Amino acid sequence: MTSNAQVGSVSEARGPAPVSVLVVEDDATIRRAVQLALERYGYRVAVAADGLSGLEAFRAGGHDLLILDVMLPELDGIGLCHRIREESPVPVLMMSARGDALDVVAGLEAGADDYVIKPVDTGVMVARIRALLRRATFRPDPEGPAAAGKPGRADHILVFGDLSVDTLGMEVRRAGETVSLTPTELRLLLEFAAAPGSVLDRRRLLRDVWDYGWEGDTRVVDLCVLRLRKKIGSGRIETVRGFGYKLVRG
């Protein structure tokens, strides 16, 4: 594991209730290195060495974010992520060996929010964790563009056909039924809802939703849009080839 001293210090992560991270990694050396690195930034870290133990630890509760290796014994990281997504929208960061593009895609399709490549750079991992946690606690500005002047029954309730987005209650309904979204999916939908009919390119979405201050993998955007479409309706978000995506108004 490499390091990046510019990311921050231990005190930045500490607070009244330290963030709890569950790391599921079968390689003892990597598992210990990740644990020590995150603990230096003030995170409370629990570990598991295989997928079934990770599932048990997750179900025991109390974790704010999960880091899953793709290749795990007993139950691999993809299967574990699927199980977790059936029960919780908790932020999930996948770890994959360099060059395993299919593993990355499979992890994102399973519901992971983001990924890092091994050998893991400490600075990159902590930055991704912080971005995921910000999305998990995100609340839009009630005076901002997503909360006023848009179609809806009230300023903070945006309606697009059978889809309604409550930007204050952070609730999404489709045909009157509550739609369960992960924090990343919700943040992505809010970005679209703030500019219905406008084309948002992938780089902008990486910056505004994933909080990437550097070049990121646009597959993250494409696969999250795919998951979001399955939940809110396949025709609600249109692809504008060569440009990006837009939310259909009607």
Side-chain angles (χ1 to χ4, degrees), residues 103-222:
D103 287 343
V104 168
V105 170
L108 295 171
E109 287 179 334
D113 297 280
D114 205 347
Y115 73 94
V116 290
I117 296 295
K118 296 190 286 187
V120 179
D121 181 284
T122 301
V124 170
M125 174 172 281
V126 172
R128 300 285 176 87
I129 288 172
R130 288 176 176 171
L132 282 172
L133 293 171
R134 281 195 293 272
R135 291 202 291 279
T137 57
F138 173 79
R139 291 295 182 273
D141 180 356
E143 303 300 325
K150 304 297 181 184
R153 298 186 301 275
D155 282 348
H156 64 281
I157 299 178
L158 316 181
V159 178
F160 309 96
D162 66 349
L163 184 72
S164 66
V165 182
D166 184 341
T167 62
L168 294 185
M170 303 295 279
E171 184 178 55
V172 178
R173 290 181 176 271
R174 183 185 178 194
E177 298 293 326
T178 299
V179 179
S180 178
L181 301 178
T182 68
T184 301
E185 291 164 352
L186 178 57
R187 183 70 183 85
L188 180 62
L189 178 57
L190 288 171
E191 201 67 29
F192 282 120
S198 299
V199 179
L200 306 184
D201 67 68
R202 293 171 178 83
R203 295 298 176 189
R204 169 180 168 177
L205 292 171
L206 277 174
R207 182 194 68 214
D208 294 345
V209 177
W210 278 264
D211 200 15
Y212 277 14
W214 58 90
E215 290 296 306
D217 187 346
T218 57
R219 289 177 299 182
V220 175
V221 177
D222 296 333

Side-chain angles (χ1 to χ4, degrees), residues 24-43:
V24 187
E25 164 63 63
D26 63 315
D27 186 300
T29 301
I30 296 175
R31 186 171 64 246
R32 183 60 175 162
V34 171
Q35 180 180 10
L36 291 175
L38 295 183
E39 286 177 345
R40 283 197 295 270
Y41 282 90
Y43 296 103

Side-chain angles (χ1 to χ4, degrees), residues 69-72 78 94-108 115-119 217 219 223:
D69 184 32
V70 171
M71 302 299 294
L72 293 170
I78 309 302
M94 300 292 293
M95 289 194 296
S96 175
R98 187 176 303 278
D100 292 342
L102 292 179
D103 287 343
V104 168
V105 170
L108 295 171
Y115 73 94
V116 290
I117 296 295
K118 296 190 286 187
D217 187 346
R219 289 177 299 182
L223 291 167

Side-chain angles (χ1 to χ4, degrees), residues 230-246:
K230 291 178 180 178
K231 295 181 178 183
I232 68 172
S234 58
R236 184 57 54 194
I237 298 175
E238 287 187 353
T239 300
V240 181
R241 294 192 180 279
F243 294 95
Y245 301 99
K246 68 177 180 180

